[in-house]
């Protein structure tokens, strides 16, 4: 943290800043500049004191501003963990050279549907089966998912096709139940800042796919990940899934591809992209999937339904099995150009 004084600051203004810092058993380093004086705090500030100290210093006379030089998140930051994290899940690794593709329907609808989706995902080269059993739907009248029965169908379809599984958990008291059926817990965009859920997912130790909220800033996203990490779970995969668009005439959301290189610089955690919710229009999903990998994503989560026309949720953005297989072939061609394997 650095306190930058106004040009008019006097010796006594500077002394008061120094006393405020030293009063908290921290070091104060007065740095004379051309016109202005800055006071740096070279010692580590306990995270729980940062906001309070910054507020106290900002309120002092002739303090121009207080600048933070380290990030508010510690465990998620590359500053303290330079090497990229690889998350080992069964025999798979997320965040290494190998790209990981998760595919399957928005929601598990029944045994035949999820078994068929799993077989198509596997045949095309995906290694993780997705399928929601607890669905966060905008309308209470929309299909809400098959709940525990859906989780069992997802688990069985994944096992039968030698795939891992991912499914959403919406409430803290169901973390244990969902974790008993799946390999990866999905925390949905709407729940990115559900702190009790993040804490419980942290305590579970189960790999977490954390989706970015549609209006979340990068710092809010990484602080949400920090909650999971801070509660003892190092296995967090970040997922960009589109932010609120300027214009909904043609797309559902705006896939924020900018965030991929930004996150890769700020954090060591793997980053995957959901182009299905990201753009929300089936025919536009493949180009955005390719763009995400070209921009440095470690993998994808893609909605694919055996019969998208009849899907109970998100049919308009779901690929058919043939479209998904065609996307996988294009990803195979792209991967080596960006130093990845599929
Ligand atoms: C989903 O993956 O089906 C889903 C509901 O996604 P999001 O939380 O990104 O809207
Ligand atoms: Mn969906």
């Amino acid at each position: 943290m650095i306190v930058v004084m106004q040009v008019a600051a006097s010796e006594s203004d500077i002394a008061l800043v120094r006393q405020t810092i030293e009063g908290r058993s921290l070091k104060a380093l007065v740095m004379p500049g051309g016109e202005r004086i800055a006071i740096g705090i070279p010692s580590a500030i306990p995270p729980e004191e940062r906001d309070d100290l910054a507020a106290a210093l900002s309120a002092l006379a002739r303090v121009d501003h207080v600048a933070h030089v380290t990030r508010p998140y510690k465990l998620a930051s590359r500053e303290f963990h330079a090497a990229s994290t690889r998350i080992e899940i069964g025999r798979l690794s997320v965040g290494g050279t190998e790209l990981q593709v998760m595919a399957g329907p928005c929601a598990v609808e029944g045994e035949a549907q999820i078994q068929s989706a799993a077989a198509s995902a596997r045949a095309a080269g995906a290694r993780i089966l997705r399928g929601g059993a607890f669905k966060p739907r905008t309308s209470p009248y929309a299909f809400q998912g098959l709940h525990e029965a859906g989780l069992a169908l997802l688990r069985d379809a994944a096992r039968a096709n030698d795939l891992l599984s991912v499914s959403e958990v919406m409430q803290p008291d169901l973390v244990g139940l969902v974790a008993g059926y799946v390999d990866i817990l999905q925390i949905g965009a709407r729940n990115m800042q559900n702190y009790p859920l993040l804490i419980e997912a942290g305590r579970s130790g189960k790999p977490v796919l954390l989706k970015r909220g549609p209006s979340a800033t990068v710092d809010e996203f990484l602080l949400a990940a920090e909650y999971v990490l801070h509660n003892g779970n190092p296995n967090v995969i970040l997922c960009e899934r589109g932010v609120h668009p300027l214009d909904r005439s043609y797309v559902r959301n705006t896939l924020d591809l900018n965030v991929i290189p930004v996150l890769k610089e700020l954090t060591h955690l793997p980053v995957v992209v959901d182009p299905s919710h990201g753009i929300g229009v089936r025919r536009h999903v493949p180009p955005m999937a390719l763009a995400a990998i070209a921009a440095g994503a470690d993998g994808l989560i893609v909605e694919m339904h055996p019969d998208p026309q009849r899907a109970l949720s998100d049919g308009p953005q779901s690929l058919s099995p043939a479209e998904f297989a065609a996307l996988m072939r294009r990803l195979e061609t792209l991967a080596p150009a960006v130093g990845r394997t599929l």
Side-chain angles (χ1 to χ4, degrees), residues 58 110 169 187 288:
S58 303
V169 57
I187 295 189
M288 299 316 287

Side-chain angles (χ1 to χ4, degrees), residues 106 130 135 252 277 303 313-314 317:
C106 179
R130 67 150 287 150
K135 293 303 302 173
R252 182 177 179 187
H277 295 85
E303 287 186 341
S313 70
D314 285 348
Q317 68 191 31

Side-chain angles (χ1 to χ4, degrees), residues 246-278:
L246 274 179
D247 178 355
R248 280 221 154 101
S249 312
Y250 305 101
V251 294
R252 182 177 179 187
N253 290 302
T254 293
L255 187 63
D256 182 7
L257 293 177
N258 292 354
V259 87
I260 303 168
V262 171
L263 288 172
K264 283 280 162 194
E265 190 171 272
L266 292 175
T267 178
H268 53 88
L269 297 171
V271 178
V272 304
V273 166
D274 173 351
S276 307
H277 295 85

Side-chain angles (χ1 to χ4, degrees), residues 58-206:
S58 303
L60 297 179
R62 279 172 282 281
V63 167
D64 187 80
H65 65 276
V66 175
H68 296 271
V69 282
T70 50
R71 311 271 170 210
Y73 35 87
K74 288 264 177 291
L75 301 170
S77 171
R78 266 205 206 268
E79 286 174 340
F80 303 96
H81 190 298
S84 293
T85 288
R86 284 180 192 209
I87 297 179
E88 311 296 335
I89 314 170
R91 62 187 191 291
L92 298 188
S93 168
V94 182
T97 308
E98 190 173 73
L99 298 170
Q100 297 302 345
V101 180
M102 313 177 199
C106 179
V108 179
E109 298 168 7
E111 185 176 4
Q113 175 246 20
I114 195 66
Q115 286 285 349
S116 167
S120 301
R122 166 86 190 168
R127 297 187 194 87
I128 305 169
L129 180 66
R130 67 150 287 150
F134 293 92
K135 293 303 302 173
R137 303 306 300 279
T138 304
S139 163
Y141 306 114
F143 175 58
Q144 303 285 309
L146 298 180
H147 298 173
E148 189 170 359
L151 291 173
L153 293 174
L154 179 75
R155 176 200 58 196
D156 294 349
R159 277 191 190 156
N161 290 278
D162 198 21
L163 297 164
L164 298 184
S165 58
V166 56
S167 197
E168 178 163 356
V169 57
M170 294 201 293
Q171 52 193 94
D173 54 325
L174 291 183
V175 165
L177 176 92
V178 180
Y181 284 98
V182 301
D183 299 294
I184 305 171
L185 293 171
Q186 177 174 329
I187 295 189
R190 295 162 183 79
N191 270 316
M192 190 204 82
Q193 287 177 310
N194 179 339
Y195 300 115
L197 180 60
L198 295 170
I199 291 168
E200 215 41 52
R203 289 181 182 152
S204 79
K206 201 85 183 178

